[in-house]
Amino acid sequence: MLAPDLIANPIERLDHDHVPLGELVSAVRSSLDSVARGDRTPLDVCTEVGEAVAQLHDDLLEHFGREEEGFFPFLLEALPDVAGRLSYLSSAHDTLCGTLARLNYLASRGPGAFIEQFRQVEALFERFEAAYVEHARDERAFLRDVDRRLDHAQRAALLEAARGLL
Protein backbone atom coordinates (compact mmCIF):
# COMPACT_ATOMS: atom_id res chain seq x y z
CA MET A 1 0.00 0.00 0.00
CA LEU A 2 1.24 3.50 -0.81
CA ALA A 3 2.05 5.93 1.96
CA PRO A 4 -0.60 8.66 2.37
CA ASP A 5 1.81 11.38 1.21
CA LEU A 6 2.38 9.50 -2.07
CA ILE A 7 -1.35 9.28 -2.62
CA ALA A 8 -1.80 12.97 -1.76
CA ASN A 9 0.99 14.12 -4.09
CA PRO A 10 0.87 12.59 -7.59
CA ILE A 11 4.28 14.09 -8.37
CA GLU A 12 5.86 12.16 -5.50
CA ARG A 13 4.03 9.03 -6.66
CA LEU A 14 5.50 9.34 -10.15
CA ASP A 15 8.96 9.87 -8.67
CA HIS A 16 8.47 6.93 -6.29
CA ASP A 17 7.68 4.66 -9.27
CA HIS A 18 11.37 4.80 -10.12
CA VAL A 19 12.27 2.72 -7.05
CA PRO A 20 10.65 -0.58 -8.12
CA LEU A 21 11.50 0.10 -11.77
CA GLY A 22 15.15 0.58 -10.83
CA GLU A 23 15.06 -2.66 -8.82
CA LEU A 24 13.85 -4.57 -11.89
CA VAL A 25 16.58 -3.00 -14.04
CA SER A 26 19.14 -4.01 -11.39
CA ALA A 27 17.79 -7.56 -11.28
CA VAL A 28 18.25 -7.99 -15.03
CA ARG A 29 21.71 -6.43 -14.83
CA SER A 30 22.68 -8.81 -12.02
CA SER A 31 21.53 -11.84 -13.99
CA LEU A 32 23.39 -10.79 -17.13
CA ASP A 33 26.52 -9.96 -15.11
CA SER A 34 26.47 -13.42 -13.53
CA VAL A 35 26.77 -14.88 -17.03
CA ALA A 36 29.55 -12.46 -17.97
CA ARG A 37 31.49 -13.49 -14.84
CA GLY A 38 31.04 -17.16 -15.73
CA ASP A 39 29.04 -17.93 -12.59
CA ARG A 40 25.99 -18.96 -14.61
CA THR A 41 25.04 -19.79 -18.17
CA PRO A 42 22.49 -18.07 -20.41
CA LEU A 43 20.22 -21.08 -19.85
CA ASP A 44 20.46 -20.56 -16.08
CA VAL A 45 19.19 -16.97 -16.32
CA CYS A 46 16.73 -17.32 -19.20
CA THR A 47 13.58 -17.59 -17.09
CA GLU A 48 14.47 -14.92 -14.53
CA VAL A 49 15.56 -12.44 -17.20
CA GLY A 50 12.40 -13.12 -19.18
CA GLU A 51 10.16 -12.64 -16.15
CA ALA A 52 11.96 -9.47 -15.01
CA VAL A 53 11.88 -7.97 -18.51
CA ALA A 54 8.16 -8.78 -18.90
CA GLN A 55 7.41 -7.19 -15.50
CA LEU A 56 9.55 -4.18 -16.34
CA HIS A 57 7.73 -3.79 -19.66
CA ASP A 58 4.32 -3.88 -17.98
CA ASP A 59 5.35 -1.55 -15.15
CA LEU A 60 6.95 0.98 -17.48
CA LEU A 61 3.87 1.05 -19.70
CA GLU A 62 1.73 1.69 -16.63
CA HIS A 63 4.07 4.42 -15.36
CA PHE A 64 4.32 6.11 -18.76
CA GLY A 65 0.55 5.85 -19.19
CA ARG A 66 -0.09 7.68 -15.92
CA GLU A 67 2.28 10.40 -17.01
CA GLU A 68 1.05 10.80 -20.58
CA GLU A 69 -2.67 10.33 -19.88
CA GLY A 70 -2.99 12.50 -16.79
CA PHE A 71 0.09 14.32 -15.65
CA PHE A 72 1.47 15.66 -18.94
CA PRO A 73 -1.85 17.08 -20.22
CA PHE A 74 -2.40 18.76 -16.86
CA LEU A 75 1.07 20.31 -16.96
CA LEU A 76 0.64 21.57 -20.50
CA GLU A 77 -2.33 23.56 -19.28
CA ALA A 78 -0.91 24.63 -15.91
CA LEU A 79 2.68 25.34 -17.01
CA PRO A 80 2.72 25.80 -20.80
CA ASP A 81 6.42 26.65 -20.80
CA VAL A 82 7.27 22.97 -20.05
CA ALA A 83 5.97 21.76 -23.44
CA GLY A 84 9.47 21.19 -24.82
CA ARG A 85 10.54 19.17 -21.80
CA LEU A 86 7.36 17.09 -21.96
CA SER A 87 8.02 16.37 -25.62
CA TYR A 88 11.56 15.26 -24.75
CA LEU A 89 10.29 12.97 -21.98
CA SER A 90 7.57 11.50 -24.21
CA SER A 91 10.12 10.78 -26.91
CA ALA A 92 12.30 9.02 -24.36
CA HIS A 93 9.27 6.93 -23.33
CA ASP A 94 8.90 5.78 -26.94
CA THR A 95 12.59 4.89 -27.20
CA LEU A 96 12.55 2.97 -23.93
CA CYS A 97 9.36 1.09 -24.84
CA GLY A 98 10.69 0.17 -28.26
CA THR A 99 13.96 -1.20 -26.92
CA LEU A 100 12.22 -3.01 -24.08
CA ALA A 101 9.61 -4.50 -26.44
CA ARG A 102 12.43 -5.97 -28.56
CA LEU A 103 14.16 -7.27 -25.44
CA ASN A 104 10.91 -8.74 -24.16
CA TYR A 105 10.40 -10.48 -27.51
CA LEU A 106 13.88 -12.02 -27.44
CA ALA A 107 13.53 -13.10 -23.81
CA SER A 108 10.13 -14.69 -24.39
CA ARG A 109 11.06 -16.88 -27.38
CA GLY A 110 12.22 -19.74 -25.21
CA PRO A 111 15.56 -21.04 -23.96
CA GLY A 112 16.95 -22.07 -27.36
CA ALA A 113 16.44 -18.66 -28.94
CA PHE A 114 17.53 -16.90 -25.75
CA ILE A 115 20.83 -18.79 -25.70
CA GLU A 116 21.39 -18.33 -29.42
CA GLN A 117 20.71 -14.60 -29.25
CA PHE A 118 22.22 -13.95 -25.82
CA ARG A 119 24.74 -11.40 -27.14
CA GLN A 120 21.89 -9.46 -28.73
CA VAL A 121 19.96 -9.62 -25.44
CA GLU A 122 23.00 -8.19 -23.65
CA ALA A 123 23.48 -5.43 -26.23
CA LEU A 124 19.80 -4.44 -26.17
CA PHE A 125 19.75 -4.40 -22.41
CA GLU A 126 22.87 -2.22 -22.27
CA ARG A 127 21.18 0.30 -24.57
CA PHE A 128 17.97 0.14 -22.57
CA GLU A 129 19.75 0.49 -19.24
CA ALA A 130 21.77 3.52 -20.34
CA ALA A 131 18.65 5.20 -21.77
CA TYR A 132 16.61 4.34 -18.66
CA VAL A 133 19.19 5.73 -16.25
CA GLU A 134 19.39 8.96 -18.25
CA HIS A 135 15.60 9.22 -18.50
CA ALA A 136 15.02 8.56 -14.79
CA ARG A 137 17.57 11.25 -13.91
CA ASP A 138 16.00 13.75 -16.31
CA GLU A 139 12.48 12.93 -15.18
CA ARG A 140 13.34 13.26 -11.49
CA ALA A 141 14.86 16.69 -12.12
CA PHE A 142 11.76 17.67 -14.10
CA LEU A 143 9.39 16.42 -11.39
CA ARG A 144 11.26 18.33 -8.70
CA ASP A 145 11.16 21.50 -10.78
CA VAL A 146 7.43 21.14 -11.43
CA ASP A 147 6.78 20.31 -7.78
CA ARG A 148 8.38 23.62 -6.74
CA ARG A 149 6.41 25.62 -9.31
CA LEU A 150 2.84 24.45 -8.74
CA ASP A 151 0.75 26.54 -6.38
CA HIS A 152 -1.79 25.17 -3.90
CA ALA A 153 -4.75 25.45 -6.30
CA GLN A 154 -2.80 23.72 -9.08
CA ARG A 155 -1.80 20.91 -6.71
CA ALA A 156 -5.43 20.38 -5.75
CA ALA A 157 -6.44 20.31 -9.42
CA LEU A 158 -3.63 17.86 -10.21
CA LEU A 159 -4.75 15.56 -7.42
CA GLU A 160 -8.28 15.60 -8.80
CA ALA A 161 -7.05 14.99 -12.36
CA ALA A 162 -4.90 12.08 -11.16
CA ARG A 163 -7.73 10.22 -9.43
CA GLY A 164 -8.13 6.85 -11.07
CA LEU A 165 -4.68 6.96 -12.62
CA LEU A 166 -2.70 6.30 -9.43
Side-chain angles (χ1 to χ4, degrees):
M1 181 167 174
L2 288 175
D5 59 323
L6 293 179
I7 294 169
N9 186 342
I11 296 170
E12 288 180 22
R13 165 62 196 269
L14 291 172
D15 190 31
H16 179 74
D17 281 354
H18 292 112
V19 174
L21 292 170
E23 289 170 355
L24 286 168
V25 171
S26 292
V28 175
R29 167 54 53 214
S30 178
S31 295
L32 296 178
D33 285 351
S34 71
V35 174
R37 286 190 310 271
D39 298 338
R40 299 170 76 194
T41 68
L43 181 59
D44 295 334
V45 301
C46 176
T47 299
E48 67 194 49
V49 167
E51 289 173 357
V53 165
Q55 185 66 53
L56 184 57
H57 184 256
D58 290 348
D59 291 356
L60 269 178
L61 286 176
E62 184 178 326
H63 172 76
F64 293 162
R66 279 196 300 272
E67 289 177 338
E68 293 185 17
E69 294 166 25
F71 187 61
F72 288 6
F74 174 85
L75 286 180
L76 280 172
E77 187 174 317
L79 304 170
D81 64 305
V82 301
R85 291 172 77 187
L86 290 176
S87 178
Y88 169 78
L89 292 173
S90 294
S91 180
H93 290 175
D94 294 343
T95 299
L96 289 166
C97 285
T99 305
L100 197 54
R102 289 185 57 217
L103 189 59
N104 193 26
Y105 171 74
L106 289 174
S108 70
R109 292 183 62 208
F114 184 84
I115 293 166
E116 184 178 305
Q117 297 179 315
F118 187 73
R119 296 294 171 230
Q120 186 177 6
V121 168
E122 287 180 309
L124 276 171
F125 184 75
E126 284 181 27
R127 286 200 328 252
F128 170 80
E129 183 179 36
Y132 175 78
V133 167
E134 179 180 346
H135 174 72
R137 183 193 67 233
D138 293 345
E139 189 170 282
R140 280 190 177 120
F142 175 74
L143 291 172
R144 288 183 183 125
D145 178 52
V146 165
D147 198 26
R148 286 190 299 274
R149 294 178 57 195
L150 292 176
D151 63 29
H152 181 71
Q154 290 170 320
R155 287 176 189 285
L158 175 59
L159 183 59
E160 187 59 36
R163 290 198 194 286
L165 292 174
L166 295 180

